[in-house]
Amino acid sequence: MKNFKRIGVLTSGGDAPGMNAAVRAVVRTALTHGVEVIGIYRGYSGLIDGDLKKLGYRDVSNIINKGGTFLYSDRCPEFQTPEGMAKAVKTCRDFGIDGIIAIGGDGTFRGATELTANGVPCIGIPGTIDNDIASTDNTIGFDTAMNTVIELVDKLRDTCESHARCNVVEVMGRGAGDIALHTAIASGATAVIIPELPYDVSDICRRVKSARELGKRNFIIIVSEGVGSDVGPALAKTIQAETGVESKFARFAHIVRGGSPTLKDRILASTIGAIAVEELLKGNSNLVMCERKGKIVAVDINYALILDRMYKGKLKEGDLDRFSEKELAKMRSEVRAKQANIARLYGISKTINL
Ligand code: ADP
């Protein structure tokens, strides 16, 4: 064990159900190891401004079931400047913060790796509903968001069935189609549009027509926000014009970000939070904690961020320079496996949802 006296915890970027459960686990695990915990409010903004509060065991009571984040979140462009970083490091020195657990998405991890490079060891925890972090199978909040989507879609399906109607639904996900694809399967959507794969509007219209000929009355089409905000509304109009089925558009937007976390998210948040603190106290840092094949494992943040860029086709010049041939081969194989999984799920959704 390294000699940590006090660590900080923050939530940053887009909020997600389960962030509170993760903070709770971090606080209680650290206290059990005799390490104090400082709650840093409003993400990196609170680190710059010194918006801090010491958290005791009972300060995280009654939050395992609460959505949002009681530490609040923020986007903090100042943290990306040398002056902002210097202020953040000074706060850590002034308040004796020996390390930080940062809960958020890839932006938050970029901040965490910068902070580590500036002398404050950090570990990241993936908290975002979008599941858009390639190094982990699941992010905290993803399961809750999907459950909210299917609950809402089930309600739309009731009314679509009564009126023989189609409803095009846009769901969040940023650049990732994970929420859309999984909820399309789980809600029996007639079609799904995700940014990872090409789509064909005429084919979607054909699917609606042939399903109607087979006696189907309700039609749900799920569209991921990653394909652009015009796609869903335009698709509803086209389906109505081409098939004669009355079609409406609904954007679920931020409603899917709120609510009480599911059992799966609470367990993921609690275990990942506890293990993250154990790693930090062992003296390890610059890591993101990931769930892979049901196990919580620590992945180097730089590996995780570059794997992410590779998966999203956003590699920049020089990104791959620091990795060995063996690491690159591993990354490429991980990317292929993820792509194959998406393609397979997409194929299944088309086969069984007509
Ligand atoms: P998310 O963590 O959900 O991806 P953002 O991309 O908004 O959300 O990132 C959250 C915060 O992390 C930003 O407001 C900023 O303070 C910090 N951050 C993002 N990118 C960087 C970076 N390249 N260097 C330092 N800090 C960053």
Side-chain angles (χ1 to χ4, degrees), residues 1-289:
M1 290 267 172
K2 258 198 142 191
N3 195 18
F4 278 84
K5 287 200 177 67
R6 189 175 293 156
I7 63 167
V9 59
L10 60 83
T11 53
S12 153
D15 68 341
M19 279 183 160
N20 283 326
V23 172
R24 174 180 176 272
V26 166
V27 170
R28 293 188 169 176
T29 307
L31 290 175
T32 303
H33 284 91
V35 174
E36 287 181 0
V37 183
I38 301 291
I40 301 159
Y41 286 80
R42 298 179 294 110
Y44 294 119
S45 301
L47 197 57
I48 288 175
D49 302 343
D51 191 358
L52 316 170
K53 182 180 177 254
K54 193 168 147 185
L55 297 174
Y57 212 83
R58 291 267 82 82
D59 288 319
V60 289
S61 294
N62 296 322
I63 61 165
I64 194 167
N65 55 332
K66 296 273 195 317
T69 159
F70 86 103
L71 289 178
Y72 310 132
S73 190
D74 202 6
R75 318 250 180 208
C76 177
E78 193 189 350
F79 188 65
Q80 286 169 252
T81 66
E83 297 76 26
M85 177 57 70
K87 282 190 206 166
V89 172
K90 185 171 182 309
T91 303
C92 294
R93 299 284 173 255
D94 290 350
F95 291 87
I97 297 172
D98 300 320
I100 288 180
I101 303 284
I103 307 166
D106 55 350
T108 301
F109 301 155
R110 269 190 279 280
T113 194
E114 287 298 321
L115 199 51
T116 305
N118 281 276
V120 182
C122 292
I123 290 189
I125 291 182
T128 160
I129 63 162
D130 303 323
N131 208 38
D132 61 345
I133 296 170
S135 54
T136 187
D137 294 340
N138 289 294
T139 56
I140 296 167
F142 176 47
D143 189 62
T144 307
M146 290 192 296
N147 277 286
T148 303
V149 168
I150 59 165
E151 196 186 323
L152 296 173
V153 168
D154 287 351
K155 291 181 202 297
L156 282 177
R157 180 195 272 258
D158 289 346
T159 169
C160 284
E161 178 71 10
S162 307
H163 291 269
R165 195 182 273 156
C166 170
N167 222 309
V168 176
V169 173
E170 185 198 275
V171 297
M172 279 193 162
R174 288 219 292 192
D178 288 46
I179 293 179
L181 181 54
H182 288 80
T183 57
I185 292 174
S187 62
T190 306
V192 57
I193 298 183
I194 54 172
E196 291 87 347
L197 293 169
Y199 64 95
D200 175 358
V201 172
S202 340
D203 180 53
I204 293 173
C205 291
R206 268 196 301 277
R207 285 174 71 81
V208 170
K209 266 192 204 157
S210 57
R212 190 184 48 185
E213 279 156 22
L214 289 168
K216 192 170 170 64
R217 286 175 62 84
N218 70 77
F219 306 91
I220 301 288
I221 317 286
I222 300 199
V223 178
S224 174
E225 70 170 343
V227 296
S229 58
D230 299 342
V231 172
L235 181 64
K237 286 198 182 108
T238 308
I239 291 173
Q240 182 156 318
E242 295 293 315
T243 68
V245 174
E246 187 193 2
S247 299
K248 298 205 175 285
F249 172 74
R251 177 171 285 133
F252 288 173
H254 292 78
I255 199 138
V256 168
R257 285 248 289 261
S260 179
T262 56
L263 172 141
K264 213 173 155 202
D265 273 331
R266 292 182 201 191
I267 292 178
L268 178 61
S270 300
T271 51
I272 219 167
I275 296 172
V277 170
E278 286 164 5
E279 285 290 336
L280 189 65
L281 299 187
K282 268 190 242 164
N284 298 326
S285 63
N286 210 35
L287 301 171
V288 50
M289 303 308 299

